[in-house]
Amino acid sequence: VATADHNVPTIEQHLPIKEELGRVQVETLKKNCATHEIELYGLGHPYQGIVHVIGPELGITQPGMTIVCGDSHTSTHGAFGAIAFGIGTSEVEMVFATQCLLQSKPKQMRININGELKKGVLSKDIVLYILSKISSSGATGYAVEYAGSTISNLSMEARMTVCNMSIEMGARCGLIAPDETTFKYIHGRAFAPKGTDWVHALQYWQTLKSDEDALFDEEININAAAIEPMITYGTNPGMGVGVNGLVPSEKEMDEKERASFIKAMNYMGIAPGGAIKGQKIDYVFIGSCTNSRIEDLRLVADFVKGKQKSDDVEVWVVPGSKQVEQQAIAEGIDKIFSAAGFQLRQPGCSACLGMNEDKIPAGKYCISTSNRNFEGRQGAGSRTLLASPLMAAAAAITGRVTDVSEML
Amino acid sequence: MSKSKVDTIQSSFVPLNIENVDTDQIIPARFLKGTTRDGFGKNLFRDWRYENDDEAKPRPGFVLNQPEYHGKILVAGKNFGCGSSREHAAWSILDYGFTAVVSSFFADIFKNNALNNGVLPVTVSEFFLQKIFEQDNEATLTINLPNQTIVIDTTGAKESFEINAYKKECLLKGYDDIDYLLSIKNDIEVFEKTQQY
Ligand code: SF4
């Protein structure tokens, strides 16, 4: 299947796309899909949305599959116990031509997270915490399995958030063994197996877990209770701290990293060594394939109900798919948002990557639930602080980086 | 799409002594909207090259704007090409005129994308990388793909590098994966016919 996500506008989607090149791209997709008989969920289709949201939502993503897509966040689908990874355009061509792809065996890493999460801590915080510990290249060359009681207790949508950001550690892919939660989630979805097919599939899926005595090239253990609501301060996703923590100072950097660090801090306009809490925010973006599913929207709606956004922030909530949008409207979430001054937009990648019409102006601070805070990611000169949907919502209310757990 | 062959490259180089250069820096997302592979070189490192996205305002401090640095080899800090799977990163580097990138560490997807497009990623030790950065703009490097070695010509310092044997063959012949398969089509057909199920 194919869909339109990266380049689509998120307002007035029924009108022709204003940006010339984006329109040509979407039209080329339409034409190519028609010629080659590929099902396309384009703009206006009830299934349209971000590829990593609709795959699971439609039950296309299933345990044991090998899934590739020309987008690095394909790792998201690993939450179902699938081997899923992003590939480049030439590799996509290869897959279309032969259904095969030459791969070298990655090293294996297991990250075990055990224990109860603190109040206000979401799965996004887990993955930002891991990143802050192992850095944005800490898992390069590895396939990562996330395990432990904390992970088993997460919902499917929360698991997707964790696997989504595997690529930010450099990992080839990230996965979680499928369990009852997984099977329940898939059951009854549009493309899920039905009848006896379902019974057979289930039998197979139940076998998909690491052996008790499996050996990993590297194993990392994390105590869930140590994780605070996280926020990033720099220009790669590994540059994060707990919201009550301090931005590192130049002195703490080893010599080789110092130049990159200073460059990042200058770009961000954030003082090394200081607190991140209280940092002024101009934009709030709740969306992207990391955090734009219905649970994310529900959590935010619960939190903002009866509250008002700060006057000087602009707040965009962009659902990951048409179905999420429709569900949100059915549950009255749209009304809660508009009462709070949050704009609920139409589905797409939106401000995650500054490739469509939603961009953050130069020099402005945006707290974002997406996955990348690279220089210029959300528009030339934009400054991105990555956080969970709750942290983003809290900042929307106060206009500053705030510890959401104090507001719960 | 067949490409030009890569064999031995002797050239001056452009030093980009920055770590974690991500794909959004190599080519910002707003320039990804071409539907062909050409013309991305002019937007390579766009936001580092120009002030306020204005081609009339190059940033003099950025190495691509310093004419004394040029050549077919880009030398960059650790973890080059992290971030997205956009193959445009490799296309823009090639389109700009680089045929090899040297670093002490490459992100996985970028490395594959580079190899698939005839850009040779050369992984050297951190020590050797720093030796290269110590050279001045007159220095040249020789990268010998058949022997898998890289030499700093001025000092004679030499290191060998690893490359997947299959990818090496593709680069030497100017093949991408599909060209390669087509080149052994007869063998595949024979195999299919003789295989018993
Ligand atoms: S939401 Fe962002 S990260 Fe996800 S697929 Fe779209 S552009 Fe990529």
Side-chain angles (χ1 to χ4, degrees):
Chain A
V1 294
T3 187
D5 53 10
H6 279 58
N7 38 24
V8 300
T10 59
I11 44 174
E12 303 185 329
Q13 287 186 342
H14 57 286
L15 299 177
I17 300 178
K18 282 190 226 132
E19 267 188 1
E20 167 74 18
L21 286 166
R23 191 175 63 238
V24 171
Q25 241 182 353
V26 170
E27 278 163 10
T28 309
L29 175 69
K30 216 187 214 164
K31 204 169 76 219
N32 286 348
C33 283
T35 330
H36 301 290
E37 296 177 10
I38 293 170
E39 180 107 57
L40 171 68
Y41 301 143
L43 283 187
H45 193 285
Y47 288 168
Q48 181 262 337
I50 305 174
V51 57
H52 312 310
V53 174
I54 68 170
E57 182 176 80
L58 295 171
I60 297 172
T61 304
Q62 295 169 16
M65 283 182 162
T66 305
I67 298 175
V68 295
C69 170
D71 182 280
S72 56
H73 292 100
T74 307
S75 60
T76 313
H77 307 263
F80 291 79
I83 294 182
F85 52 94
I87 55 178
T89 316
S90 294
E91 290 170 303
V92 172
E93 181 188 359
M94 184 72 183
V95 170
F96 278 136
T98 67
Q99 291 286 300
C100 299
L101 207 51
L102 185 65
Q103 290 289 304
S104 54
K105 184 176 165 215
K107 287 185 283 181
Q108 287 159 38
M109 179 190 290
R110 180 156 64 187
I111 304 182
N112 304 300
I113 305 134
N114 284 294
E116 290 261 332
L117 290 172
K118 284 203 285 210
K119 190 172 73 170
V121 176
L122 304 180
S123 69
K124 180 65 163 283
D125 300 301
I126 300 179
V127 70
L128 286 174
Y129 180 85
I130 299 172
L131 270 154
S132 74
K133 295 289 166 203
I134 72 170
S135 93
S136 64
S137 58
T140 302
Y142 285 90
V144 177
E145 175 178 352
Y146 303 95
S149 66
T150 318
I151 296 289
S152 324
N153 288 332
L154 294 178
S155 71
M156 276 327 287
E157 301 200 344
R159 292 179 191 184
M160 287 186 240
T161 304
V162 175
C163 288
N164 175 274
M165 292 191 73
S166 305
I167 182 71
E168 303 322 326
M169 310 164 197
R172 182 86 60 83
C173 61
L175 50 79
I176 294 172
D179 58 11
E180 283 311 313
T181 310
T182 321
F183 309 143
K184 243 210 220 123
Y185 179 95
I186 300 172
H187 190 82
R189 291 187 183 261
F191 287 81
K194 309 256 150 41
T196 51
D197 286 348
W198 171 259
V199 178
H200 290 146
L202 205 55
Q203 271 169 1
Y204 166 57
W205 295 348
Q206 277 158 344
T207 66
L208 298 170
K209 48 179 171 251
S210 295
D211 297 332
E212 293 278 333
D213 55 355
L215 286 178
F216 290 80
D217 297 291
E218 191 165 344
E219 201 140 5
I220 295 175
N221 293 301
I222 287 172
N223 173 7
I227 306 175
E228 264 196 292
M230 297 289 294
I231 182 94
T232 65
Y233 55 83
T235 55
N236 77 55
M239 299 172 87
V241 282
V243 60
N244 294 303
L246 296 180
V247 176
S249 62
E250 275 170 49
K251 280 197 246 59
E252 293 167 56
M253 295 289 133
D254 63 69
E255 210 182 312
K256 279 204 298 79
E257 284 172 4
R258 200 166 294 150
S260 305
F261 174 74
I262 295 173
K263 184 170 184 300
M265 299 320 288
N266 285 340
Y267 179 85
M268 292 299 292
I270 289 178
I276 187 77
K277 198 153 99 171
Q279 169 65 47
K280 169 93 186 60
I281 294 294
D282 307 296
Y283 286 79
V284 176
F285 171 57
I286 298 173
S288 89
C289 58
T290 320
N291 284 117
S292 63
R293 299 183 176 83
I294 189 67
E295 269 180 25
D296 299 313
L297 268 49
R298 280 184 194 137
L299 265 170
V300 172
D302 264 358
F303 175 76
V304 301
K305 200 168 187 171
K307 298 191 177 75
Q308 264 300 322
K309 79 167 180 79
S310 165
D311 285 339
D312 45 4
V313 289
E314 174 120 8
V315 188
W316 296 339
V317 185
V318 183
S321 71
K322 205 77 202 159
Q323 293 206 78
V324 171
E325 179 192 37
Q326 292 309 314
Q327 181 70 27
I329 292 171
E331 294 179 18
I333 289 175
D334 55 332
K335 301 218 174 56
I336 298 176
F337 285 158
S338 66
F342 287 28
Q343 269 186 54
L344 181 65
R345 297 193 153 212
Q346 289 170 309
C349 292
S350 181
C352 174
L353 87 168
M355 180 166 167
N356 44 63
E357 291 159 19
D358 301 348
K359 293 187 184 75
I360 307 301
K364 297 292 182 193
Y365 290 93
C366 176
I367 187 165
S368 173
T369 66
S370 55
N371 42 44
R372 288 193 174 135
N373 50 353
F374 297 153
E375 284 183 29
R377 171 77 180 183
Q378 298 190 292
S382 62
R383 293 158 159 171
T384 306
L385 292 88
L386 300 176
S388 77
L390 277 180
M391 282 289 286
I397 306 299
T398 62
R400 310 198 162 257
V401 173
T402 308
D403 181 356
V404 65
S405 64
E406 291 169 3
M407 296 173 75
L408 294 171
Chain B
M1 191 192 60
S2 309
K3 310 156 307 256
S4 46
K5 299 174 188 176
V6 179
D7 197 312
T8 296
I9 307 164
Q10 182 174 35
S11 167
S12 54
F13 61 90
V14 176
L16 184 65
N17 195 353
I18 301 174
E19 296 189 348
N20 301 315
V21 174
D22 59 72
T23 47
D24 280 79
Q25 304 324 315
I26 299 173
I27 176 106
R30 58 185 191 282
F31 300 114
L32 300 186
K33 293 193 220 173
T35 39
T36 63
R37 299 182 194 215
D38 305 318
F40 289 102
K42 69 178 196 303
N43 294 322
L44 176 67
F45 297 119
R46 176 82 184 198
D47 292 336
W48 285 349
R49 257 157 97 185
Y50 305 111
E51 206 81 54
N52 299 329
D53 206 5
D54 183 349
E55 280 174 38
K57 285 198 224 147
R59 298 177 196 258
F62 187 61
V63 67
L64 288 190
N65 295 328
Q66 299 167 348
E68 63 271 31
Y69 291 105
H70 52 85
K72 288 190 220 156
I73 303 171
L74 177 68
V75 181
K78 191 175 78 184
N79 199 21
F80 185 82
C82 55
S84 85
S85 59
R86 63 185 67 151
E87 197 158 311
H88 312 65
W91 299 343
S92 57
I93 286 172
L94 184 70
D95 193 58
Y96 186 85
F98 293 118
T99 40
V101 185
V102 178
S103 176
S104 56
F105 195 92
F106 289 95
D108 254 1
I109 302 184
F110 175 80
K111 188 153 95 186
N112 276 331
N113 285 339
L115 288 165
N116 284 337
N117 285 283
V119 175
L120 174 62
V122 179
T123 310
V124 296
S125 66
E126 193 58 45
F127 176 78
F128 194 80
L129 185 70
Q130 295 311 322
K131 287 278 162 244
I132 301 178
F133 283 135
E134 284 165 17
Q135 306 302 312
D136 61 19
N137 59 344
E138 311 265 295
T140 56
L141 303 174
T142 301
I143 299 170
N144 183 317
L145 177 58
N147 294 336
Q148 298 178 215
T149 55
I150 172 167
V151 177
I152 305 175
D153 298 324
T154 26
T155 67
K158 181 172 178 175
E159 215 176 63
S160 50
F161 61 89
E162 295 291 316
I163 181 169
N164 173 300
Y166 161 70
K167 286 294 173 193
K168 178 177 171 180
E169 187 186 339
C170 286
L171 282 174
L172 289 170
K173 292 189 172 154
Y175 283 172
D176 68 13
D177 288 330
I178 292 182
D179 298 327
Y180 178 81
L181 281 184
L182 291 175
S183 78
I184 55 168
K185 191 159 172 247
N186 287 339
D187 295 347
I188 296 175
E189 277 166 5
V190 169
F191 179 82
E192 268 182 348
K193 287 199 193 96
T194 53
Q195 216 44 22
Q196 301 291 332
Y197 295 103

